[in-house]
Amino acid sequence: METISFGQYDLIYNAFSFTFATMAAATLFFWFGRSQVADAYKTAMTVTGLVTAIAAYHYFRISQSWVEAHVVADGVVTASKLGFNDAYRYVDWFLTVPLLLVELILVMGLSRQETTSKAVRLGLLAALMVGLGYPGEIADTASGRWLWGGLSMIPFLWIVYELFVGLSRSVEQQPESARGLVKTAIWVTVLSWAFYPVVFFAGAIGLEGSTATTVVQVGYTIADIIAKAAFGVLIFMIAVRKSEADMGRAKTA
Amino acid sequence: METISFGQYDLIYNAFSFTFATMAAATLFFWFGRSQVADAYKTAMTVTGLVTAIAAYHYFRISQSWVEAHVVADGVVTASKLGFNDAYRYVDWFLTVPLLLVELILVMGLSRQETTSKAVRLGLLAALMVGLGYPGEIADTASGRWLWGGLSMIPFLWIVYELFVGLSRSVEQQPESARGLVKTAIWVTVLSWAFYPVVFFAGAIGLEGSTATTVVQVGYTIADIIAKAAFGVLIFMIAVRKSEADMGRAKTA
């Protein structure tokens, strides 16, 4: 087993704990916000909170697994016999990444038929993207990481195309007060998701041992906070503005 | 490792436990209060409760870490091999201090544009202030503590300027029944936040060992209760009075 410094161990633990607290707080924020939006957007807020709730659960488990995988004695960290369960991340993404696209589609308020077809297509692509990434994450060789990571990029690029081209007409049909935010939400999705392969390939370009572990763990954590909690705040703001636009009353404030 | 007396160990543990109970109770109070204020202030109450909820989580963890970091036998306290995770505080502040400023801005009911720009600017300054303080907190030397603490004072003073000068026009536009409370809330923010550097620098002016530990831990705990729970009660009172003022205006109109 690689050795890791106490500072690195501690930084990673605190990043996990921070993310648990952020995701749990975000969940409550979204579910409270549910009562502040029109009926048409309540399901979007439910799903937005589910994504962060699922992430909070996994970050709680990840931080537990991190502690159990190490023995700390007088500032020296050694590996325990248990090993760290990195698969929690992929299990989380397999559930939450399709749901993130569903949030976006739900808050856009497309026709019922379009909602179903786009949610199914984008959801399956997202699940495929995560599923193809996992064999690369656990691959022993850099070539394995490049192969599966490369395959995983195909559904990713397809999703990017669907978001920018497939949804462009629907974006233009959003009420003016929400249109800019919807565009921002699409950009946040693409840019924050593009951050995952950067972290993923950090393990394939020569970064090794405890430095790679720290970059990968802290990097994924930051990406998760942006892609789930910050993205969710945008979804809430879109839902509030569209609720106001639907009610036909311009807010005076 | 420094030695600590049983009395000091016990005082610190009980201060943590007290603060957990206070924060958890405050959270429930704020979230119940959410239904008693007008729609415009519901998000402010949600965020006010999130701040104390996040603090409750961290005080629970802090008290656990405190117990695990010590071995108590027949009234004699020695350090365990695990060490005390002081970073929980900074992780907490990194999340909650920006949110405290967001609460204040939300309850003031500024225009949408002003709310966003002020929340973003003050939130980033607060995160920078906390981020610069942490290297000082873990510094081994007094000079390191002075350096990072000093740098951290720059965003702090900027925040103070924004609160007193940048918000002064908005304060004057508050309904008369709430104006005094808003001014009090700003003063409570500045004075309770000013208490943190006092505690912080206690470690740099000659206080050492277990006395410094006790002053720092109990000091931060008192500051947290004032800055989060007592401040939150002020936010609730402002929201109630402004809700009444808004309804009064609606009746006369």
Side-chain angles (χ1 to χ4, degrees), chain B residues 67-150:
Chain B
V67 170
E68 287 169 3
H70 297 91
V71 178
V72 180
D74 300 326
V76 176
V77 182
T78 46
S80 80
K81 288 178 177 175
L82 286 170
F84 175 54
N85 186 3
D86 215 9
Y88 280 129
R89 289 197 181 285
Y90 281 82
V91 170
D92 178 85
W93 294 337
F94 199 69
L95 260 173
T96 56
V97 176
L99 290 178
L100 282 169
L101 294 170
V102 169
E103 287 175 32
L104 181 65
I105 289 162
L106 284 174
V107 88
M108 288 182 75
L110 311 178
S111 73
R112 180 162 282 172
Q113 202 199 331
E114 264 192 305
T115 300
T116 309
S117 72
K118 284 195 192 297
V120 169
R121 186 162 65 246
L122 286 170
L124 288 177
L125 284 170
L128 184 68
M129 174 178 79
V130 174
L132 287 171
Y134 186 61
E137 188 73 69
I138 58 168
D140 289 330
T141 60
S143 64
R145 219 173 168 84
W146 284 112
L147 172 70
W148 292 105

Side-chain angles (χ1 to χ4, degrees), chain A residues 13-14 17 32 36 74 244, chain B residues 34 43 57 81 85 88:
Chain A
Y13 174 79
N14 285 311
S17 177
F32 276 122
Q36 291 163 260
D74 300 325
E244 285 169 6
Chain B
R34 207 175 156 277
T43 307
Y57 164 71
K81 288 178 177 175
N85 186 3
Y88 280 129

Side-chain angles (χ1 to χ4, degrees), chain A residues 6 10 13-14 17-18 20-22 25 28-29 32-33 35-36 60 63 72-75 236-237 240-241 244 251 253, chain B residues 31 34 39-40 42-43 46-47 50 53-54 57-58 61 80-82 85 87-88 91 94-95 109-112 116 134:
Chain A
F6 182 74
D10 218 32
Y13 174 79
N14 285 311
S17 177
F18 173 82
F20 165 74
T22 305
L28 292 165
F29 180 80
F32 276 122
S35 70
Q36 291 163 260
F60 190 81
S63 71
V72 179
D74 300 325
F236 174 62
M237 288 170 72
V240 168
R241 296 206 186 172
E244 285 169 6
K251 212 186 171 193
Chain B
W31 286 343
R34 207 175 156 277
D39 283 356
K42 286 200 195 305
T43 307
T46 304
V47 175
L50 284 179
I54 294 166
Y57 164 71
H58 284 115
R61 289 289 207 181
S80 80
K81 288 178 177 175
L82 286 170
N85 186 3
Y88 280 129
V91 170
F94 199 69
L95 260 173
L110 311 178
S111 73
R112 180 162 282 172
T116 309
Y134 186 61

Side-chain angles (χ1 to χ4, degrees), chain B residues 4-19 59 62-63 66 70 84 89 210-218 221:
Chain B
I4 190 165
S5 77
F6 181 75
Q8 289 171 326
Y9 167 82
D10 218 32
L11 174 66
I12 292 171
Y13 174 80
N14 286 312
F16 292 161
S17 178
F18 173 82
T19 309
Y59 271 95
I62 285 172
S63 70
W66 183 251
H70 297 91
F84 175 54
R89 289 197 181 285
S210 63
T211 309
T213 302
T214 310
V215 168
V216 167
Q217 296 304 337
V218 177
T221 299

